[in-house]
């Protein structure tokens, strides 16, 4: 990498993007053994310990000093280690970001957060606060907290359902990663998404806590895009948007024992927002609890979309408390004109119990161009809370829905 030094020199002459660019350049140099005078010096640094504490590189845990450079310098040491190594964030409050942890790295890497990492209010040249990319065999563990300070930007956000909108930065993004394990951490008041998994494979997420007020816009808990073999379990997600949203190209995803609320529920989609989206398949939610959410179990797609498919989607053994729109397929979620061409098939809603505030407990509103096929609603017993004026039931459009078992509402007419 002959141009590494010139790139670093350019980075040092910039203000906003210097640390990010240095992280990318130095990460590439590490992979090629060209940092700190070559492989011999690198080995000397990495071999001195398996745990690298950010405070040893100048991080200050008072919450007032920018420790971004310390994070990146520590990452360089961890990524260079020929044996598994840990980046340690000890107790304290550390102001830092934006930060990119780039690979490839020489061995398994762990980021252990014991304290609190606080986001700056501005200065984000890229759409994320912490980005892990091109790193395999990554562990992110707690019990520490990422505090996104989203309350400083929420009022200015007006994305809503706009097709084209620049969201505030995601708190934690993981891109192009094979084998990722996340546990124990908390994320508070993300500016937008708490966690974004994109082009990741073999992901295990458990025992995490993601929270933001119900009125905070676009604060999805976990969003997936082109994520394969993902397991999310035993976590609490309380946000202002989808607790979990499974997006384009995601396959073989299991979500279990997750408590959601407030928020917009457990969603597949929105799908079809972008041209030529990849298919979605094998999405399973089970043994989850929803409390006071604006939607419950939802599949959503855009009108005017390119053709794609969403198949083999299951919601099973779900408990609800005061949930609005408890079961919904909405293929008119957003539109550029025309019908959705996302073909939805083989969907099961089974053993859903609790209470709802919506008169229409089941709403299956599919596309006229590609009607839903193989949608089953089995053993759904939800008590209506409040006087809604008359008997509730189910709505079915462009779908042949199969109802079975015990139901607390009238079925759609055939």
């Amino acid at each position: 990498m002959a141009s590494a030094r010139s790139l670093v020199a350019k980075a040092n002459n910039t203000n906003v993007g210097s640390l990010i660019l240095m992280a990318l350049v130095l990460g590439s140099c590490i992979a090629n053994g060209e940092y700190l005078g070559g492989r011999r010096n690198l080995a000397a640094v990495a071999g001195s310990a398996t745990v690298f504490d950010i405070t040893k590189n100048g991080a200050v845990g008072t919450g007032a000093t920018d420790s971004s450079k310390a994070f990146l310098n520590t990452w360089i040491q961890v990524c260079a280690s020929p044996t598994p190594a840990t980046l340690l964030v000890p107790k304290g409050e550390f102001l830092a970001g934006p930060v990119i942890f780039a690979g490839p790295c020489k061995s398994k890497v762990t980021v252990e957060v014991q304290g609190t990492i606080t986001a700056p209010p501005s200065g984000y040249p890229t759409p994320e606060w912490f980005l892990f990319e091109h790193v395999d065999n990554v562990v992110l563990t707690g019990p520490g907290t990422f505090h996104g300070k989203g309350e400083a930007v929420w009022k200015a956000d007006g994305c809503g359902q706009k097709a084209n909108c620049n969201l505030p930065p995601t708190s934690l993004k993981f891109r192009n990663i094979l084998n990722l394990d996340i546990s124990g951490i908390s994320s508070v008041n993300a500016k937008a998404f708490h966690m974004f998994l994109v082009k990741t494979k073999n992901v295990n997420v458990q025992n995490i806590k993601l929270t933001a007020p119900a009125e905070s816009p676009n604060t999805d808990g976990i969003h997936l895009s082109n994520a394969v073999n993902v397991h999310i379990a035993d976590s609490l997600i309380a946000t202002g948007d989808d607790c979990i949203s499974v997006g384009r190209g995601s396959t073989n995803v299991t979500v279990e024992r997750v408590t959601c609320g407030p928020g917009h529920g457990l969603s597949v989609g929105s799908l079809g927002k972008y041209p030529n989206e990849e298919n979605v398949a094998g999405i399973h939610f089970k043994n989850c609890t929803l409390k006071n959410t604006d939607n419950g179990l939802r599949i959503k797609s855009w009108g005017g979309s390119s053709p794609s498919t969403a198949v083999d989607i299951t919601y099973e053994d779900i408990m609800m408390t005061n949930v609005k729109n408890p079961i919904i397929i909405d293929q008119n979620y957003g539109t550029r004109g025309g019908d959705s061409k996302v073909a939805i098939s083989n969907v099961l809603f089974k053993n859903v119990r609790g209470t709802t505030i919506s008169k229409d407990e089941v709403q299956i509103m599919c596309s006229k161009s590609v009607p839903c096929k193989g949608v089953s609603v089995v053993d759904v017993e939800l008590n209506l809370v409040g006087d809604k004026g008359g008997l509730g039931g189910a709505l079915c459009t462009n779908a042949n829905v199969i109802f079975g078992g015990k139901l607390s509402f009238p079925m759609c007419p055939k």
Side-chain angles (χ1 to χ4, degrees), residues 111-123:
V111 175
E112 181 180 340
V113 182
Q114 295 181 356
T116 297
I117 306 172
T118 303
S122 59

Side-chain angles (χ1 to χ4, degrees), residues 37-204:
R39 294 183 184 273
R40 183 176 302 173
N41 286 344
L42 251 181
V45 172
S48 60
T50 56
V51 176
F52 297 89
D53 188 327
I54 61 169
T55 61
K56 304 302 181 183
N57 281 311
V60 180
T62 62
T65 301
D66 186 354
S67 297
S68 301
K69 187 175 181 180
F71 274 82
L72 294 172
N73 286 339
T74 308
W75 174 258
I76 289 167
Q77 294 175 305
V78 170
C79 193
S81 175
T83 59
T86 296
L87 183 152
L88 175 64
V89 180
K91 292 181 179 180
E93 181 181 352
F94 298 91
L95 176 66
V99 172
I100 295 179
F101 288 156
C105 296
K106 288 190 173 183
S107 188
K108 179 179 179 180
V109 294
T110 297
V111 175
E112 181 180 340
V113 182
Q114 295 181 356
T116 297
I117 306 172
T118 303
S122 59
Y124 295 86
T126 57
E128 53 270 322
W129 174 26
F130 270 77
L131 170 64
F132 295 74
E133 68 172 352
H134 298 294
V135 189
D136 294 340
N137 304 309
V138 179
V139 175
L140 172 62
T141 187
T145 299
F146 290 83
H147 199 305
K149 295 294 181 178
E151 58 271 24
V153 302
W154 290 332
K155 289 184 179 180
D157 175 73
C159 283
Q161 294 183 14
K162 294 179 182 178
N164 298 304
C165 180
N166 294 321
L167 288 172
T170 293
S171 282
L172 293 164
K173 183 180 284 186
F174 304 88
R175 183 166 61 205
N176 291 305
I177 292 179
L178 175 66
N179 302 329
L180 170 64
D181 196 309
I182 304 170
S183 65
I185 65 162
S186 295
S187 173
V188 177
N189 288 7
K191 289 179 172 64
F193 296 173
H194 287 265
M195 190 176 294
F196 193 166
L197 306 174
V198 55
K199 296 182 179 179
T200 56
K201 187 175 183 180
N202 301 340
V203 180
N204 183 44

Side-chain angles (χ1 to χ4, degrees), residues 331 342-345 366-373 397-400:
Q331 294 208 263
V342 179
I344 298 172
S345 63
C366 296
S367 169
K368 182 171 62 177
S369 296
V370 283
C372 295
K373 297 180 180 179
T397 303
N398 301 315
N400 185 10

